[in-house]
Amino acid sequence: MEPHGTPVGFAAVDLAEGFWKEKQELVRANTINAVYHRFEETGRLASLACSWKEGEPLKPHIFWESDITKWIEGAACFLKKERDPALEEKIDALIHQMEQYQDKDGYLNVYFTVVEPDTRFTRRMDHELYCAGHLIEGAIAYYEATGKRKLLDIAIRYADRIYQVFFTEHSAAFDTPGHEEIELALVKLYRATRDCRYRELAGYFIDTRGTSSRERSAHEAEDVVIQSHLPVRSQKTAEGHAVRALYLYCGMADLALLNQDGELAEACQELFTNITTKRMHITGGVGSTHLGETFTYDYDLPEYTTYNETCASIALALFCRRMWLLRPNRMYADCAEAALYNTVLSGLSLSGDQFFYENPIAADPARDTFFRSRPQYLREHLPLLERVKIFDCSCCPPNLIRAIGSIGDYMYSVRENTIYAQCYMSGDARILLPGQEISLKQRTAYPYDGSIRIETKTAGTYTLALRIPGWCRSYTITVCGEEVPAEAREGFVCLQRCWEAGDTLCLVLDMPVERIEANPMVKNLCGRVAITRGPLVYCAEGIDNETVPLRDVKVGPDAEIRVGEDVIVGTAFPVLTVRAERRSPFSQLYRPSGEAWEECSLRLIPYFAWANRGACEMNLWFLA
């Protein structure tokens, strides 16, 4: 393998005023407490008292603990930047309860302590190891943010118990997790402790997957859902439950990097290519169906019924960040941005206290009203058209907290003596290179504007590699006021020089409005176009286009598109006004084709901002 990259974590990045800083302030002010209160109301937090008895309401669920520890991790991302005694007091109280009910042997899971204590590690699909993974990640994050190690010690004791049961004794009734996640958590624990057992166990879980004879299901499709149909190194297409799959791929990429495993890295690349060229929506959404929350088959990308779970796009972005450490290529950051700016942010309301689990590509209130009025067995599954404050399965809300809290992870990476500017955002970064520490100040209105200004705060000799996104057709670069001719290779322009403190670099990315078409193999999108500007995908809502049947609007190649600005729920962003066409209205069910089309005006908003003003029609793909 070629030399690997190293991450520049969000701890080394201080965001400044701009798009992501505003999102972080929203989450800090509204989302963290909103999710805590919903977990309090639904009994999740009280379950940690481990006092539930048969017949009582609010029986603990098998995955409630993962919701709580994921929330702790998300909160810790913010505590790492600004301590908050009141928030820490809440977390410390939860940790105290976990400490009280942890078994002497290290086992820790509320459900299997108070509901079915005799069935520990006997049912592969019951999320024990998934919950353990999120406990480990939350514990590491909280320790790094506060220096308090009680939760980390709890997690280590549990990880040691898991190592004993699965690796030393092989005494569990199964060999690998039914819901992946612990794999990447164990790699984090290895990096935090340098205890090689955790790295060894992560490798065991990954390489045993798809090889164990006692994990074969009666129906092969059941193995596909949990990525156990083949050894991971032989898997060429993204299959099964999208979140499970992408957490697995994250763990695979971690180990490929850690062990310099070229075969595992190549497997990751094939899976990434399959997802991004055949199984991903333009919004970075993945998982085409609610049935098993799964990938389906190549080019199956429905609009109204697609699943596109928020957590799946978060996991996709995490996978991308690992992939760019394995190989320097802009396609990984391009994909991460598609997911982050569109489907991930669509999961959070503009007010910061309501959420989407699913993120459809089109919405029809009439269709929704009809099917929701039917008996369950006569319903078509449709995503919600308005965000809610809590779900029975509430993995997405705390996942959004940790994703936005750690968004600085996506800003830079390092490979040897090169700093890669991966995703553009306003912030100050401290970056370690061999023998030197570099400070960079970046300011930009990205993703609304393509101008990026980077100032070097320290002197040094190194290469600065600027990503030129795949959507950008032209760009200019100036250094200290002088234009620099530069050709991108694998999507990066590399500028090698002796940088002086105070040097300024300006990258201007042309950010035109684009009409994008899908591969004709995506049959429901044939003859249709989507509208994008930079990394943002735009959509139309009925509330802005009441006289226009959105599905029947034509945006031709010569359509005039103007960029303006508007405010929705206190959030300002660019909106587009399109001079489009629609068929002249008619009352009969059918008529001869060829009748005149009439001009209409179409108003478009960023996809992430839809469904903040009540349920209404939404459309993203228009007639070409």
Side-chain angles (χ1 to χ4, degrees), residues 110-121:
V110 168
Y111 180 86
F112 288 100
T113 296
V114 299
V115 182
E116 295 188 85
D118 297 329
T119 60
R120 295 176 180 181
F121 298 135

Side-chain angles (χ1 to χ4, degrees), residues 273-280 297-301 522:
T273 299
N274 176 247
I275 292 170
T276 55
T277 62
K278 297 179 180 178
R279 300 191 175 188
M280 183 181 78
Y297 54 91
D298 290 349
Y299 304 112
D300 179 40
L301 298 170
V522 187

